[in-house]
Amino acid sequence: MIKKFKDLNYYELLKIPYNASSFEIRQAYKHILAIYEESSLATYSLFAENERKLILSKIENAFLTLIDDKKRKNYDNNLVSTGEVSDNILTEKDKKKAIPIFQTSRARANNNSLARIKKKIQENKVADLATNMLKHDHISGKDLRNLRESLGIELEEIFQATKISPTTLVAIEKDDVVNLPPKIYLISFLKSYAEALQLDPKQVVDGYIKNIAY
Amino acid sequence: MRRIYSIGGGKGGSGKSFIAASLGILLAKHGKRVVLVDLDLGASNLHTLLGQRIPEKGLDVYIDKRASSLEEVALSTTIPNLYLISSTKCSLEIANIFYAQKLKIINAIKNLPFDYILLDLGPGTNFNTLDFFLIAPEGLFVTTPEPTAIENTFIFMKSVYLRKLKLSLKEANMWHICQEEITKLSRGALKSPLDLISILVARDPEKGRIFEDLLSDLEFRLILNKFRGQVNENLGEQLVEVCNRHLYPSFDFLGNISYDNRVYESIIARNIFIAKYPYTKTVSDLQNMVRDLTGEKQEPVRVRAQR
Ligand SMILES: Nc1ncnc2c1ncn2[C@@H]1O[C@H](COP(=O)(O)OP(=O)(O)O)[C@@H](O)[C@H]1O
Ligand SMILES: [Mg+2]
């Protein structure tokens, strides 16, 4: 039977799979908020004030629950114990977790791309730009992008070398805080990014985090 | 294969007739045999959008039994392959035609020997408009980005579902079961037809499911007309998502149609806009829709609510 809106569980409400990554959760949250927020033309005439409040608070709860590993685990267990979803969905989820959506393992990185990038760096004389950037204690996504572009390196090549998804790379370069992955992933990504550009990872991570004031 | 599309959407002036005429012309140029049926009884104006004066005959001749078939009153237009069944001569009273007459018209329309049958509906949610809209299993809803137009479109959509449900329940002799709830729902604020389905399922699971399937047969697409740069570009997709979640999961977004001042000028000058200004954004938007409707475009990923 088709579910009514008020009966949707948090995953259905956000339209995300049961193994959604926190990145997907953030995206879905942003997406659904744009539809139900007070100023949205799409639902302008649709709800009474209290109805909208209820919907928005359910969305808020969904987000805050699923984004928090511990709360999410409790919520999942509850879904299983009430029979809402079968528990193999959870085990599937764990299986998936072993291969996180963010490919952090550098062992899988493509060495050819790394070699190509290295060559470009050697050919280019942008050492000054890099040193200059690292002198500041704030490093923005824009700085990283400037450097990458000055080196003539495409985003695609960074993706191939680091296996960080292009959407995440774009979010990093745009300082798009809402779409950035959780901090622990972010740090690992920034390290890979820095290494690919042969920059000091620690300096890049510290500068970047400081800049977005995590 | 014959395909019938209803073009409706509550508010007058949202561009239903303009879109019906334009899609008809483009489909005809695609080599399809197309008939436009003007079902805005009492206020029909489709001929004007085709650059024509008041047609000498139309639906009235068929209703008065002065024509043996509906096809006979389909007039050719200046566009090859495009025909028009007008209703200009149908007086205002005919807007309240008898039920038997209405059924006869509905059946005749369903059997018109054309590749594409496009039904141009009037505004509002009276029973005739809803019944005509439901002739086609596929409906196109036209709205503009204004809050009032969107509100009317939601109301119209809800009315279409309730009407379909009511007719089916009557047919199944089950109307009495939830007459009260339906009547309440059609008066109150927008509530999902799913609420009714769940009442039916609670009373009688097996039959309830049948009605759920019945409503699921309907396929609707939304068109956002008079689109301008300053409008949120995701609005169409958002509206469809809202329909799928709060009405019934049967909606897809067909696309935006850009606003162009020259649409109005063309009508005044009795020019056909898409013939006079073929290289405008508005026409390319319409062409994209035709590609979609004729299946030339790759099926987009359907955005539907979960089942
Ligand atoms: N895409 C458009 N751009 C500019 N004007 C439009 C557009 N679509 C419709 N119009 C204008 O809106 C008016 C109403 O259109 P019409 O098709 O008669 O609406 P409806 O049939 O829904 O009542 C027409 O006068 C036309 O000039
Ligand atoms: Mg009209």
Side-chain angles (χ1 to χ4, degrees):
Chain A
M1 188 169 165
I2 304 169
K3 267 194 171 183
K4 289 196 279 181
F5 185 76
K6 69 173 179 51
D7 299 331
L8 299 178
N9 71 36
Y10 288 168
Y11 293 95
E12 292 164 335
L13 181 71
L14 296 181
K15 286 221 233 171
I16 47 174
Y18 287 101
N19 61 13
S21 66
S22 51
F23 177 68
E24 287 173 286
I25 295 169
R26 266 170 223 277
Q27 291 253 304
Y29 174 62
K30 217 175 127 189
H31 173 86
I32 193 172
L33 215 50
I35 293 180
Y36 291 98
E37 68 192 358
E38 198 130 8
S39 59
S40 160
L41 197 51
T43 52
Y44 181 87
S45 61
L46 212 51
F47 305 113
E49 203 186 334
N50 59 336
E51 281 178 305
R52 186 185 302 277
K53 266 199 191 130
L54 268 172
I55 293 175
L56 284 173
S57 87
K58 183 168 174 183
I59 291 171
E60 200 65 28
N61 284 341
F63 176 68
L64 292 175
T65 304
L66 298 188
I67 206 72
D68 179 321
D69 280 347
K70 221 162 116 193
K71 287 186 189 155
R72 182 175 179 180
K73 192 142 209 126
N74 278 336
Y75 184 75
D76 288 350
N77 288 339
N78 200 37
L79 284 181
V80 171
S81 64
T82 55
E84 167 111 18
V85 297
S86 67
D87 58 354
N88 55 23
I89 283 180
L90 281 192
T91 42
E92 257 171 47
K93 185 171 143 181
D94 287 341
K95 247 188 272 155
K96 274 260 173 79
K97 269 234 170 104
I99 321 162
I101 181 133
F102 301 112
Q103 191 52 263
T104 46
S105 137
R106 235 153 293 141
R108 280 175 177 249
N110 184 328
N111 288 322
N112 285 338
S113 335
L114 270 178
R116 258 203 317 277
I117 292 175
K118 213 168 169 178
K119 195 153 159 268
K120 281 191 183 170
I121 292 173
Q122 282 163 355
E123 283 166 4
N124 271 280
K125 311 240 170 316
V126 289
D128 280 352
L129 195 68
T131 343
N132 228 335
M133 184 178 93
L134 292 180
K135 266 209 305 249
H136 299 282
D137 61 353
H138 286 244
I139 296 173
S140 70
K142 204 167 159 206
D143 294 332
L144 293 172
R145 182 172 153 199
N146 270 344
L147 183 63
R148 173 178 65 75
E149 284 177 351
S150 310
L151 289 164
I153 296 168
E154 298 292 325
L155 199 68
E156 179 70 21
E157 293 177 271
I158 302 283
F159 160 59
Q160 275 165 8
T162 60
K163 293 290 174 236
I164 305 171
S165 84
T167 33
T168 306
L169 286 171
V170 170
I172 289 176
E173 290 193 344
K174 281 194 176 158
D175 299 306
D176 183 0
V177 181
V178 183
N179 287 320
L180 283 177
K183 197 172 172 184
I184 60 159
Y185 293 122
L186 180 63
I187 290 175
S188 141
F189 291 163
L190 286 168
K191 272 188 195 148
S192 317
Y193 192 147
E195 276 163 7
L197 293 186
Q198 303 197 337
L199 300 168
D200 175 19
K202 191 173 172 331
Q203 260 177 301
V204 170
V205 171
D206 290 347
Y208 191 91
I209 299 282
K210 211 176 239 166
N211 192 52
I212 59 170
Y214 235 106
Chain B
M1 203 187 78
R2 190 185 298 135
R3 292 187 79 164
I4 315 181
Y5 289 102
S6 303
I7 298 159
K11 198 160 160 64
S14 56
K16 297 179 287 295
S17 302
F18 169 67
I19 289 169
S22 303
L23 292 179
I25 294 167
L26 290 173
L27 283 165
K29 290 204 163 144
H30 249 70
K32 313 283 184 194
R33 244 170 74 83
V34 184
V35 64
L36 291 165
V37 188
D38 193 335
L39 288 172
D40 190 355
L41 305 187
S44 55
N45 56 15
L46 209 43
H47 56 281
T48 310
L49 289 157
L50 295 169
Q52 298 187 336
R53 310 258 164 203
I54 294 184
E56 77 274 17
K57 63 175 177 179
L59 205 56
D60 55 308
V61 174
Y62 178 70
I63 294 174
D64 294 349
K65 303 199 175 96
R66 282 180 285 135
S68 55
S69 76
L70 186 58
E71 191 191 355
E72 231 179 278
V73 301
L75 304 173
S76 57
T77 64
T78 53
I79 288 115
N81 280 330
L82 182 67
Y83 295 79
L84 170 68
I85 297 179
S86 171
S87 56
T88 39
K89 295 270 171 59
C90 296
S91 63
L92 267 177
E93 296 112 71
I94 235 158
N96 301 308
I97 35 177
F98 291 118
Y99 189 63
Q101 272 180 334
K102 187 163 70 182
L103 281 189
K104 191 180 148 195
I105 298 173
I106 289 176
N107 267 323
I109 290 174
K110 281 186 180 164
N111 289 307
L112 279 166
F114 288 85
D115 299 326
Y116 283 84
I117 304 168
L118 305 183
L119 313 179
D120 179 29
L121 284 263
T125 54
N126 81 51
F127 288 163
N128 289 333
T129 308
L130 298 175
D131 289 347
F132 286 145
F133 189 88
L134 282 165
I135 292 175
E138 293 178 271
L140 310 181
F141 292 100
V142 178
T143 187
T144 66
E146 274 111 53
T148 45
I150 293 171
E151 183 167 14
N152 282 14
T153 305
F154 281 144
I155 293 169
F156 184 71
M157 290 166 170
K158 181 182 85 163
S159 310
V160 166
Y161 276 112
L162 293 184
R163 182 71 182 161
K164 169 90 179 171
L165 202 55
K166 179 173 175 178
L167 291 178
S168 319
L169 283 167
K170 281 197 161 162
E171 213 175 303
N173 258 330
M174 283 174 67
W175 172 233
H176 57 280
I177 292 188
C178 53
Q179 179 172 10
E180 211 177 297
E181 279 94 346
I182 291 200
T183 318
K184 234 191 293 169
L185 266 182
S186 36
R187 267 193 251 111
L190 191 114
K191 289 258 159 51
S192 170
L194 289 171
D195 294 336
L196 288 173
I197 294 289
S198 60
I199 294 171
L200 287 169
V201 170
R203 302 256 166 104
D204 184 340
E206 199 184 62
K207 287 194 182 131
R209 294 276 144 71
I210 295 175
F211 288 104
E212 184 177 280
D213 284 347
L214 236 144
L215 293 193
S216 300
D217 285 344
L218 300 172
E219 276 191 37
F220 296 137
R221 317 237 202 155
L222 184 76
I223 295 174
L224 191 56
N225 191 26
K226 304 196 186 178
F227 187 82
R228 297 170 199 244
Q230 65 266 42
V231 177
N232 166 11
E233 60 175 5
N234 297 322
L235 181 60
E237 295 287 359
Q238 290 183 342
L239 286 169
V240 160
E241 197 168 332
V242 168
C243 292
N244 282 334
R245 292 190 148 200
H246 297 279
L247 277 169
Y248 216 81
S250 339
F251 292 84
D252 276 317
F253 183 49
L254 192 52
N256 299 320
I257 298 180
S258 304
Y259 181 89
D260 194 322
N261 273 327
R262 288 166 292 186
V263 172
Y264 175 77
E265 289 165 25
S266 304
I267 297 171
I268 302 277
R270 286 187 194 279
N271 286 321
I272 296 176
F273 173 77
I274 59 173
K276 184 131 195 245
Y277 301 104
Y279 302 112
T280 50
K281 178 84 173 70
T282 303
V283 174
S284 94
D285 292 340
L286 285 157
Q287 267 160 345
N288 278 337
M289 286 183 190
V290 165
R291 249 174 252 132
D292 204 330
L293 294 178
T294 54
E296 274 174 40
K297 211 166 97 182
Q298 271 196 339
E299 271 292 289
V301 182
R302 300 204 153 205
V303 193
R304 291 219 168 155
Q306 278 140 343
R307 291 225 159 175

